[in-house]
């Protein structure tokens, strides 16, 4: 049985939702070289210890072992995506994406193992997306890297130890980040129109991720080629500066951006120092996030002045969640729209777009048989 899935291959995390599932799978986009672990107490969730070997003809380094996501977060040799990376061509982005697809295939209940079986096959049609500036030059390449047969073997991962999964991507539907989110916001699950203003209007999107900030303009659900644009900066640069300043001032080193953003999301700004001392990093976070908000707002106002037909601007993505308070304060009389679960709007949109393409293909096939 082929599953439909939406997968947001974000620079900070990969978010995956399979048609029929209630909650998205979220895996931080962090890798570390894998090795035999000393396990004193097994983790209580597979997502806390994704230890995998990944085989794919699309990888430059094949059949390597990696710690992925939360397991790599604390590793001193971990790597996060940088501004020079392109998710369409990045091995790291593909490895985390394949791990997510394999994990969802095993834990979704649709593929229970047969007695004595360690290897299974999961088949997908996936919807996903790229930033505005990357899309035109790389969407075909991204599609070609995803489509095909790959294999993921879970090694020391609890509950999945020794399980091998052949991940077969039958088709990949590539769209533009932000535009997919608007499609989700404008339609019901059956793809009928839910919000006429969004579906038929001229809507501006600011989708701020870790490494890119996209400004697609969507007019009647079509991308405006003239006014849509993107910037090669995101929240990651500001997080790196916060990590540096915290280390310089307090001697405390965050091992990854993910570790820092977890603190910010929970509102826990107090760090522990050697000798039972504590320090409040909130002023440092406020400084850099305030600067980020001002930069984003300036870009929005410039876009809006160039195209006054834009009816409203939606703030989406993980960056919008982190900066919401700062953006609202900086915006003043400029009204910006925010939505709940902002960082998951794209992945739901990707699933709907994949579903839409599949329905069109089935209708075309049925018409040929008539």
């Amino acid at each position: 049985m082929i599953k439909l899935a939406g997968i947001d291959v974000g620079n900070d995390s990969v978010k995956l939702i399979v048609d029929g599932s209630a909650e998205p799978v979220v895996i931080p986009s962090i890798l570390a070289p894998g090795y035999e672990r000393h396990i004193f107490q097994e983790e209580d969730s597979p997502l806390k210890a994704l230890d995998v070997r990944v085989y794919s003809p699309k990888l430059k380094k094949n059949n390597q072992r990696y710690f992925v996501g939360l397991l790599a977060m604390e590793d001193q040799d971990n790597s996060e995506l940088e501004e020079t990376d392109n998710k369409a061509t990045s091995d790291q982005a593909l490895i985390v994406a394949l791990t997510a697809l394999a994990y969802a295939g095993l834990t979704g209940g649709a593929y229970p193992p047969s007695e004595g079986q360690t290897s299974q096959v999961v088949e997908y049609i996936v919807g996903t997306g790229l930033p505005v500036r990357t899309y035109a030059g790389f969407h075909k390449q991204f599609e070609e890297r995803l489509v095909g047969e790959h294999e993921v073997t879970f090694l020391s991962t609890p509950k999945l130890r020794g399980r091998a999964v052949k991940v077969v991507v039958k088709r990949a539907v590539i769209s533009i980040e932000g535009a997919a989110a608007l499609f989700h916001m404008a339609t019901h699950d059956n793809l009928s129109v839910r919000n006429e203003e969004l579906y038929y209007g001229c809507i501006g999107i600011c989708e701020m991720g870790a490494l890119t900030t996209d400004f697609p303009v969507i007019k009647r659900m079509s991308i405006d080629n003239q006014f849509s644009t993107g910037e090669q900066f995101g929240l990651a640069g500001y997080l790196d500066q916060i990590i540096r300043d915290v280390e310089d001032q307090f001697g405390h080193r965050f091992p990854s951006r993910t570790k820092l953003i977890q603190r910010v999301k929970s509102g826990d700004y107090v760090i522990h120092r050697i000798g039972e001392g504590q320090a409040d990093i909130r002023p440092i976070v406020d400084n850099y996030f305030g600067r980020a908000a001002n930069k984003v707002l300036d870009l929005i106002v410039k876009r809006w002045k160039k195209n006054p037909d834009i009816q409203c601007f939606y703030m989406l993505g993980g960056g919008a969640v982190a900066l919401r308070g700062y953006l609202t304060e900086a915006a003043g009389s400029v009204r910006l729209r925010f939505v709940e679960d902002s960082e998951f709007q794209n992945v739901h949109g990707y699933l709907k777009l994949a579903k839409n393409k599949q329905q069109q293909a089935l209708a075309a096939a049925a018409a040929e048989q008539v």
Side-chain angles (χ1 to χ4, degrees):
M1 178 182 176
I2 299 175
K3 283 283 189 181
L4 288 170
I7 183 164
D8 182 355
V9 186
N11 293 309
D12 63 329
S13 65
V14 165
K15 293 169 277 288
L16 168 73
I17 187 161
V18 178
D19 192 24
S21 64
E23 295 292 330
V25 174
V26 181
I27 300 176
S29 293
I30 312 177
L31 293 185
Y35 51 82
E36 289 300 319
R37 299 194 295 143
H38 296 295
I39 302 173
F40 302 108
Q41 181 174 341
E42 192 169 71
E43 293 82 2
D44 59 5
S45 165
L47 286 176
K48 292 181 179 178
L50 292 171
D51 175 9
V52 298
R53 186 176 301 280
V54 182
Y55 171 81
S56 170
K58 311 300 173 69
L59 293 172
K60 300 176 190 76
K61 288 186 177 181
N62 213 343
N63 214 30
Q64 302 292 304
R65 182 176 184 174
Y66 300 99
F67 296 156
V68 180
L70 294 174
L71 187 59
M73 185 174 68
E74 306 276 6
D75 195 287
Q76 64 179 5
D77 296 321
N78 67 30
S79 61
E80 297 177 278
L81 291 169
E82 302 298 336
E83 291 180 3
T84 53
D85 291 317
N86 180 342
K87 73 174 71 174
T89 59
S90 164
D91 268 14
Q92 178 159 333
L94 183 59
I95 289 163
V96 182
L98 292 176
T99 301
L101 289 166
Y103 169 83
L106 286 182
T107 59
Y111 304 95
S114 304
E115 188 174 345
Q117 182 185 21
T118 58
S119 182
Q120 294 168 248
V121 177
V122 293
E123 295 181 323
Y124 289 104
I125 293 172
V126 302
T128 188
L130 288 172
V132 171
R133 284 173 63 175
T134 310
Y135 180 85
F138 292 95
H139 72 277
K140 284 291 184 186
Q141 192 171 350
F142 193 34
E143 179 183 354
E144 288 166 3
R145 280 172 63 79
L146 287 167
V147 171
E149 294 187 2
H150 322 268
E151 188 165 297
V152 178
T153 302
F154 293 89
L155 302 172
S156 67
T157 304
K159 300 181 176 64
L160 301 178
R161 185 189 301 268
R163 301 277 292 277
V165 190
K166 182 178 285 187
V167 176
V168 181
V169 179
K170 295 286 191 179
R171 184 177 186 183
V173 179
I174 316 295
S175 57
I176 292 176
E177 293 175 1
L182 187 69
F183 184 70
H184 170 60
M185 291 156 55
T187 58
H188 291 288
D189 287 342
N190 66 2
L191 307 183
S192 63
V193 177
R194 178 172 67 178
N195 186 316
E196 291 193 356
E197 179 194 27
L198 301 187
Y199 198 91
Y200 298 110
C202 181
I203 311 298
I205 300 287
C206 174
E207 211 270 349
M208 188 177 189
L211 301 176
T212 57
T213 300
D214 289 295
F215 298 94
V217 176
I218 297 97
K219 190 180 290 186
R220 296 181 67 86
M221 280 298 128
S222 295
I223 299 291
D224 189 313
N225 291 320
Q226 182 177 355
F227 291 105
S228 297
T229 186
E231 299 290 336
Q232 288 299 118
F233 84 95
L235 203 59
Y238 295 97
L239 295 172
D240 289 341
Q241 291 178 81
I242 292 168
I243 290 170
R244 182 201 62 206
D245 280 14
V246 169
E247 185 175 25
D248 288 348
Q249 291 186 36
F250 305 118
H252 179 101
R253 175 72 182 177
F254 284 98
S256 62
R257 296 180 203 127
T258 302
K259 189 76 171 179
L260 170 59
I261 207 69
Q262 281 184 344
R263 288 293 198 101
V264 172
K265 282 182 176 179
S266 65
D268 181 9
Y269 295 96
V270 175
I271 58 171
H272 296 280
R273 306 175 68 183
I274 295 173
E276 299 190 22
Q278 292 184 334
D280 184 3
I281 66 169
R282 181 66 183 262
I284 298 175
V285 174
D286 285 345
N287 174 40
Y288 285 107
F289 279 15
R291 286 165 55 179
N294 285 327
K295 182 172 183 177
V296 169
L297 182 66
D298 183 55
L299 290 168
I300 288 171
V301 171
K302 287 178 179 176
R303 304 305 323 156
W304 218 331
K305 283 181 178 178
K306 285 185 177 180
N307 185 4
D309 289 340
I310 294 173
Q311 295 164 228
C312 57
F313 243 102
Y314 274 89
M315 305 300 303
L316 301 174
V321 175
L323 298 180
R324 181 168 182 169
Y326 304 90
L327 283 164
T328 302
E329 183 179 348
S333 61
V334 178
R335 186 175 169 225
L336 303 174
R337 296 191 184 184
F338 295 86
V339 297
E340 296 302 315
D341 295 326
S342 177
E343 64 267 50
F344 296 110
Q345 298 302 305
N346 267 326
V347 72
H348 285 291
Y350 294 147
L351 174 58
K352 283 184 176 179
L353 288 167
K355 191 182 295 185
N356 188 41
K357 285 288 186 183
Q358 180 69 350
Q359 288 181 2
Q360 290 175 1
L362 292 173
E368 286 181 3
Q369 292 177 356
V370 174

